[in-house]
Amino acid sequence: MPEPRDSRLSGAFEAYRTLTLDAVVPAGPDAVRRTVRRRRRRRVTTVAVVVAAAVAAPVAAWAALGRAPTPAPVTSPAPSTAPAPSESPSVGPSASPSAPTGRIERAELLAATVDLPAWPAGAGCRARNVRLAERTGGSGDVLLSTSAYAYGDVDGDGVPEPVALLRCLRGRSPYPEQVVAFDRGADGVPVALGRVFRSDPRRPEWFVALDARPDGALRVEVADRLPTDGREPDAAHRQTRTYRWTDAEFTQTGGPTAFPVEPPPSVSTSATGPTPVSPLFAVTTTPVVYGPPDADGWRRGMTTVTVTNIGSGRLTDVRVTLPDSAEDTHEHTRVESCPTAAHRGTFFYCYPGPLEPGGRAVVGLHFIRRTTGPDHHLTVQAERGGEGAAVPGTTTRADIPVTFE
């Protein structure tokens, strides 16, 4: 028979099991389902966190660049907790490009259409809406020199302006020339700022060289004799003049303003009497004496023209020029001691060749005529000129007496 104390303990344990039995849930199917649902909620929460991080990264990057991405369509009925992206600023139409500034390059100057300072009266050169040319073109073109081209801050604005020699082509030389400075207009387009120097055959003054100084001054070297055959006048016939931009124009601020007047030409004596000569040539002639008519009715005669180099230098561009006459017809095919000849316009040109100091050229010119008298004179001249106009101050004229038998 058990002890009374053991009975009391057994009764106590039995009472505890009775009270707690209903609170214990067996590990059946329901418990398994609850565990699975709980694990699924954990995975969904984890995926949501990862997706949110992936979306937030590009949003932050676009925001750092000042742009907002296109919001993705909302697929969940739940309200979004992310802040709405700020609206991107509206972009207006692009502004028109600003007007060009800075130094005018040569290519830009050649591409522009400009108005130029006036050319000498009667030059036949355009000054309005001119497109400068870089290479030799047709008559009327204005060439932009490649050698006489420089940059200088002539107006003191801190930007160097192009300064260049312009040459107007026309049917005959010497060609009108002028030194012009260019700048930008209010719209940035190149315009002529002003004329620095202009060649003038009436004075005469011819351009030789150009130099732009660091202080904005322009130095122009000029001569009173036209350079020919690639040779420039010697130092006795050259001057350097300085110009500056003042009061909206270029004014001369240094150097001589004109060439000294040379003494009048000397006089030599020939068979025809006193003959004026230049400092370079003396010319003598013999009379043309027409004989009786030949079988064809033509009277014939000739003259001998002697040209002497009385200068101190060798001359390579000597020519004898004979104007055409209405009655006395020059026989171009019968010219003596004239290795090269040409007929242009109303003049016949004979090129006897180089002359050393003191050297002489003797040229025979033949004439024919149908009628007689009265006695009269023809004119012939010796000069330097090559293929162009005569070099100013080098022409010596002489008369040719004409008589009849």
Side-chain angles (χ1 to χ4, degrees):
M1 177 173 192
E3 291 293 329
R5 190 172 67 122
D6 293 338
S7 298
R8 288 195 296 271
L9 288 174
S10 298
F13 280 114
E14 184 66 21
Y16 175 75
R17 283 195 299 272
T18 301
L19 291 173
T20 60
L21 184 61
D22 294 338
V24 176
V25 179
D30 292 337
V32 173
R33 293 188 187 97
R34 284 194 297 270
T35 301
V36 171
R37 286 196 296 270
R38 185 166 58 251
R39 290 176 180 175
R40 284 177 178 173
R41 284 195 297 271
R42 289 174 182 171
R43 283 198 299 270
V44 169
T45 302
T46 302
V47 171
V49 171
V50 173
V51 171
V55 172
V59 169
W62 281 75
L65 294 175
R67 302 174 61 182
T70 304
V74 179
T75 58
S76 173
S80 173
T81 58
S86 59
E87 295 184 2
S88 59
S90 60
V91 179
S94 60
S96 59
S98 59
T101 58
R103 194 175 89 161
I104 300 174
E105 300 299 334
R106 182 179 178 87
E108 185 180 359
L109 187 57
L110 287 167
T113 300
V114 295
D115 292 339
L116 300 176
W119 297 94
C125 303
R126 292 188 302 111
R128 295 289 178 266
N129 299 322
V130 177
R131 184 75 174 267
L132 302 178
E134 190 170 27
R135 296 177 178 85
T136 302
S139 179
D141 286 349
V142 178
L143 297 186
L144 179 67
S145 175
T146 56
S147 57
Y149 186 93
Y151 283 93
D153 185 11
V154 298
D155 58 1
D157 62 353
V159 179
E161 287 78 30
V163 185
L165 175 71
L166 306 182
R167 175 176 296 163
C168 172
L169 301 183
R170 58 181 187 178
R172 64 189 186 280
S173 64
Y175 302 116
E177 297 176 331
Q178 57 178 324
V179 177
V180 177
F182 295 88
D183 200 355
R184 294 192 185 277
D187 55 358
V189 177
V191 296
L193 180 65
R195 178 177 59 232
V196 183
F197 169 82
R198 184 175 71 186
S199 295
D200 189 349
R202 294 169 299 182
R203 297 185 65 169
E205 290 180 349
W206 309 98
F207 173 87
V208 177
L210 167 67
D211 181 28
R213 310 299 296 171
D215 61 355
L218 298 174
R219 297 177 62 186
V220 179
E221 192 170 5
V222 299
D224 63 346
R225 295 185 178 181
L226 184 66
T228 57
D229 277 352
R231 299 186 306 167
E232 297 177 351
D234 56 40
H237 297 275
R238 298 168 68 164
Q239 295 178 352
T240 299
R241 304 175 183 179
T242 303
Y243 298 84
R244 287 186 179 274
W245 178 252
T246 55
D247 298 330
E249 66 178 355
F250 285 99
T251 57
Q252 185 176 348
T253 59
T257 59
F259 285 95
V261 179
E262 292 187 351
S266 59
V267 175
S268 67
T269 303
S270 70
T272 61
T275 303
V277 298
S278 72
L280 294 181
F281 300 108
V283 180
T284 61
T285 65
T286 60
V288 173
V289 180
Y290 284 110
D294 60 15
D296 296 326
W298 290 102
R299 298 176 182 269
R300 300 180 184 275
M302 72 164 293
T303 182
T304 299
V305 179
T306 303
V307 178
T308 304
N309 178 5
I310 62 174
S312 59
R314 184 174 186 266
L315 304 177
T316 61
D317 55 350
V318 179
R319 74 183 182 194
V320 176
T321 302
L322 180 70
D324 281 343
S325 170
E327 296 291 340
D328 302 284
T329 302
H330 175 240
E331 293 188 272
H332 300 161
T333 58
R334 299 185 63 190
V335 181
E336 300 170 6
S337 302
C338 186
T340 304
H343 185 267
R344 295 190 296 272
T346 59
F347 292 90
F348 172 78
Y349 300 98
C350 166
Y351 302 93
L355 285 181
E356 301 294 339
R360 292 183 177 183
V362 180
V363 178
L365 304 177
H366 292 257
F367 299 87
I368 58 177
R369 181 186 175 106
R370 286 194 178 274
T371 62
T372 60
D375 293 350
H376 55 281
H377 290 82
L378 298 175
T379 300
V380 68
Q381 59 195 47
E383 59 203 3
R384 290 182 56 199
E387 298 295 327
V391 177
T394 67
T395 299
T396 298
R397 294 179 176 84
D399 287 337
I400 305 173
V402 179
T403 61
F404 298 84
E405 289 185 351

